[in-house]
Amino acid sequence: MPHFPTDSPDSVRSLPARRSVLGAMAATAAAPTLLGLSSSASAASAAPVAQPRALPGGGDLGPNVIVFDPSTSGIQTRLDEVFRQQESAQFGTGRYALLFKPGTYNGLNAQLGFYTSIAGLGLSPDDTAINGDVTVDAGWFNGNATQNFWRSAENLALTPVSGTNRWAVAQAAPFRRMHVRGGLNLAPTGYGWASGGYIADSRIDGSVGPYSQQQWYTRDSSVGGWANAVWNMVFSGVQGAPAQSFPNPPYTTLDTTPVSREKPFLYLNGSEYRVFLPERRANARGTTWGSGTPRGTSLPLTQFYVAKPGVTAATLNAALTQGLHLLLTPGIYHLDQPIQVNRAGTVVLGLGYATLIPDNGVTALRTADVDGVRLAGFLIDAGPVNSSTLLEVGPTGASANHSANPTTVQDVFIRIGGAGAGKATTSMVINSRHTIIDHTWVWRADHGTGVGWETNRADYGIRVNGDDVLATGLFVEHFNKYDVQWYGQRGRTIFFQNEKAYDAPNQAAIQNGSVKGYAAYKVADSVTTHEGWGLGSYCYYNVDPTIVQHNGFAAPNTPGVKFHDLLVVSLGGQGQYEHVVNETGAPTSGTSTVPSTVVSYP
């Protein structure tokens, strides 16, 4: 693990934080309920044909979904039990969703460990109020928060005991649809290293203090203030965000988000579970829930096949064929064939980091080239036999126009290695036009078990073939070759975080023809229009610190391909970059962990 000096909170802008290398209800389909939605919405396509089914919809949510109401006794004790089990279980098998019915809860501190999600069951965050905290800290890792992955908080209102809630996370730890009636501290106790993170559709009444967080992306939210920046803080559609000022301080601020559609969520309508599907917004700014009934559609749980670990892929596909959606309850699912989503408007929603493992080299999930598929809230873990792909959105050659009702991929995380040997040639392939990738972490593991240059071989992270694709919150790390390859026209990325693979054995292992190393983010030479804002790539070639990476970003040099606010960093001088983008940008220098930046390209 590289050792860097620790600065005080008053000087955290210089802190080079980085993680160590360290029964069931029978179902006749009901039409979706429209809530505040105009007749132009296309959610009606989500309604399956009413007919008897061999597989039932609805049912109980299984043993690892723990539901509380204000009268439940021993809530704190149960929360503490789950935390003790999950606090340091980074590659464990436990999966939990902690759900709170609408009402008020007093004196709670819900500490969240790995693979733990906490959420309210109201239509608005303010329906479920906790006078207390939802806490992520890093005591398990000696104050280092850079491995606080795979956990989430959603749809709650918090009044923190001290006035400030602590949420010290790294990648794959979304903070969505939250109302903090106070401040939010994104650093661990002691202001140790931290590497996050993502906030969306949230309101923080007080100030957000990133302190040691090296990068962060906040979308379609409201904040009372923002305290500081380290390397890369990006905002789109955020009321109260700091003004554009990259690179000093490194704030990248867009007034609105071009297109967004919030993640589906489970809620209670009386005693009935339903899934709310927020509507698409253009040029969004601020939260979706602050003024009246949220806009979108509502589906009863009877329209979902409620899956439990142990179910076969054939059964999941049979449910989809019947017209059911999928609700994946917490646990691990082995797949001997791909989950195939063919129907427009299908929802695949995971709870508590439900994890899909493709066996024998299959792809975990594929979609057809149809409108309005929503994939959200699950983890794909590569198996030991190489998969050519792990997730495919649309088939090869997909070309239909989905601008009015795009597919969304939200909090869908991919991992190759770490929990055991895994391999995949290309992790995520986006073929369908207008797809929105809203917060993903695609990670070839740099620590854990089954880790090595060839042991968890994975050449490519994300490949975008479809036109008009938008990525908001793109985290892709450690692939053997390109982390991101973009072939589609008119693509856009708002916030990108990357590390090149630590474990490259030597320069020859990453040589790309005559070019030194594979760029983290490569726009194909055939692309004429592309734009990115707030993109960062870091290197830590600790196996061979003499490795040189020519650039972090590579793209055709044409007026229609534009980048704003780019940076590359050499962590402690373990490897170096010669340029930032193409031949532009100063090289990183020596052992100094100081970014080299480009404000605008070309």
Side-chain angles (χ1 to χ4, degrees):
M1 179 169 76
H3 176 73
F4 302 124
T6 300
D7 294 340
S8 69
D10 294 330
S11 59
V12 291
R13 286 201 58 251
S14 64
L15 186 91
R18 189 55 217 147
R19 80 166 152 274
S20 103
V21 294
L22 343 175
M25 290 176 284
T28 297
T33 300
L34 302 185
L35 299 179
L37 189 67
S38 68
S39 60
S40 62
S42 55
S45 63
V49 177
Q51 61 184 16
R53 299 187 178 117
L55 290 169
D60 73 273
L61 300 177
N64 290 342
V65 176
I66 303 169
V67 182
F68 303 103
D69 66 45
S71 66
T72 302
S73 62
I75 296 176
Q76 187 65 56
T77 299
R78 190 71 179 102
L79 295 175
D80 291 346
E81 288 172 351
V82 173
F83 179 63
R84 278 194 299 271
Q85 178 180 321
Q86 299 300 114
E87 180 183 10
S88 59
Q90 182 171 176
F91 298 111
T93 59
R95 304 286 188 273
Y96 290 93
L98 311 173
L99 304 182
F100 286 74
K101 294 182 180 181
T104 300
Y105 301 79
N106 294 312
L108 296 182
N109 180 18
Q111 300 182 81
L112 299 187
F114 288 97
Y115 313 109
T116 305
S117 298
I118 188 170
L121 287 169
L123 260 182
S124 166
D126 289 334
D127 293 340
T128 310
I130 294 178
N131 293 318
D133 296 80
V134 171
T135 302
V136 178
D137 207 343
W140 75 277
F141 202 40
N142 300 315
N144 180 344
T146 61
Q147 292 183 23
N148 281 348
F149 314 135
W150 306 305
R151 63 200 75 196
S152 65
E154 300 183 53
N155 205 31
L156 293 165
L158 307 178
T159 304
V161 170
S162 69
T164 300
N165 189 76
R166 186 181 302 278
W167 185 256
V169 298
Q171 289 79 0
F175 196 81
R176 287 186 180 267
R177 200 177 173 81
M178 294 288 288
H179 184 188
V180 181
R181 296 166 175 161
L184 187 64
N185 183 342
L186 303 179
T189 300
Y191 303 95
W193 300 349
S195 175
Y198 174 91
I199 293 170
D201 200 25
S202 293
R203 175 179 171 183
I204 292 88
D205 293 346
S207 183
V208 178
Y211 305 116
S212 53
Q213 283 285 357
Q214 67 184 39
Q215 79 273 315
W216 201 275
Y217 174 51
T218 307
R219 178 182 63 71
D220 298 355
S221 294
S222 173
V223 298
W226 195 273
N228 70 286
V230 178
W231 290 340
N232 189 25
M233 300 285 162
V234 179
F235 308 84
S236 67
V238 178
Q239 298 164 341
Q244 169 72 32
S245 58
F246 187 92
N248 187 26
Y251 294 132
T252 298
T253 303
L254 287 71
D255 189 57
T256 61
T257 303
V259 185
S260 61
R261 189 174 68 193
E262 298 305 328
K263 178 185 172 186
F265 62 91
L266 191 69
Y267 76 103
L268 277 172
N269 180 28
S271 61
E272 178 195 26
Y273 283 107
R274 301 183 70 91
V275 173
F276 190 80
L277 310 179
E279 74 168 5
R280 173 188 175 277
R281 297 199 292 170
N283 300 314
R285 180 172 174 82
T287 67
T288 63
W289 49 267
S291 54
T293 303
R295 295 176 62 85
T297 65
S298 175
L299 299 173
L301 197 63
T302 52
Q303 289 189 17
F304 286 78
Y305 179 74
V306 179
K308 310 291 199 313
V311 69
T312 65
T315 299
L316 297 174
N317 284 326
L320 290 169
T321 299
Q322 289 177 196
L324 290 167
H325 307 274
L326 297 182
L327 186 73
L328 305 173
T329 65
I332 296 174
Y333 297 75
H334 282 269
L335 307 173
D336 61 0
Q337 61 180 270
I339 298 172
Q340 182 65 51
V341 177
N342 292 325
R343 179 172 48 86
T346 299
V347 180
V348 180
L349 176 61
L351 300 179
Y353 288 86
T355 301
L356 307 179
I357 301 179
D359 294 328
N360 300 319
V362 303
T363 297
L365 190 149
R366 292 190 175 115
T367 76
D369 191 23
V370 294
D371 273 359
V373 173
R374 304 186 195 223
L375 308 177
F378 55 90
L379 171 65
I380 299 175
D381 211 350
V385 177
N386 185 73
S387 294
S388 60
T389 60
L390 294 171
L391 173 67
E392 294 180 19
V393 178
T396 300
S399 60
N401 186 319
H402 304 296
S403 57
N405 191 9
T407 286
T408 45
V409 182
Q410 299 177 285
D411 300 348
V412 173
F413 307 120
I414 294 178
R415 178 174 68 195
I416 302 96
K423 292 184 178 182
T425 303
T426 305
S427 293
M428 182 185 297
V429 179
I430 307 296
N431 292 316
S432 288
R433 293 180 61 193
H434 302 100
T435 298
I436 300 172
I437 310 167
D438 178 43
H439 189 228
T440 189
W441 184 38
V442 182
W443 183 56
R444 175 182 168 264
D446 62 281
H447 63 272
T449 59
V451 171
W453 185 249
E454 297 296 343
T455 306
N456 63 329
R457 181 86 194 188
D459 282 353
Y460 309 109
I462 294 180
R463 177 172 175 141
V464 178
N465 296 319
D467 295 339
D468 307 292
V469 171
L470 171 65
T472 51
L474 193 60
F475 300 74
V476 189
E477 296 188 299
H478 303 307
F479 285 84
N480 294 77
K481 293 184 178 179
Y482 290 117
D483 298 277
V484 173
Q485 298 173 285
W486 208 296
Y487 289 86
Q489 299 287 353
R490 298 176 299 280
R492 293 174 290 184
T493 295
I494 304 173
F495 182 87
F496 172 67
Q497 186 265 328
N498 165 263
E499 285 184 348
K500 296 303 301 173
Y502 293 159
D503 56 342
N506 49 49
Q507 187 76 47
I510 63 162
Q511 193 70 14
N512 183 13
S514 62
V515 179
K516 300 172 185 175
Y518 291 81
Y521 189 107
K522 166 66 174 173
V523 180
D525 293 344
S526 58
V527 171
T528 57
T529 306
H530 187 91
E531 197 159 9
W533 297 262
L535 315 182
S537 177
Y538 323 141
C539 73
Y540 184 80
Y541 288 117
N542 65 309
V543 175
D544 182 357
T546 68
I547 289 176
V548 174
Q549 176 81 29
H550 183 66
N551 50 33
F553 304 90
N557 188 2
T558 181
V561 176
K562 304 175 184 178
F563 291 103
H564 314 274
D565 302 356
L566 302 175
L567 67 95
V568 296
V569 182
S570 169
L571 301 179
Q574 305 292 295
Q576 302 290 340
Y577 291 90
E578 292 181 325
H579 300 285
V580 180
V581 53
N582 292 349
E583 309 302 316
T584 299
T588 53
S589 179
T591 60
S592 177
T593 305
V594 175
S596 176
T597 62
V598 169
V599 173
S600 181
Y601 182 86

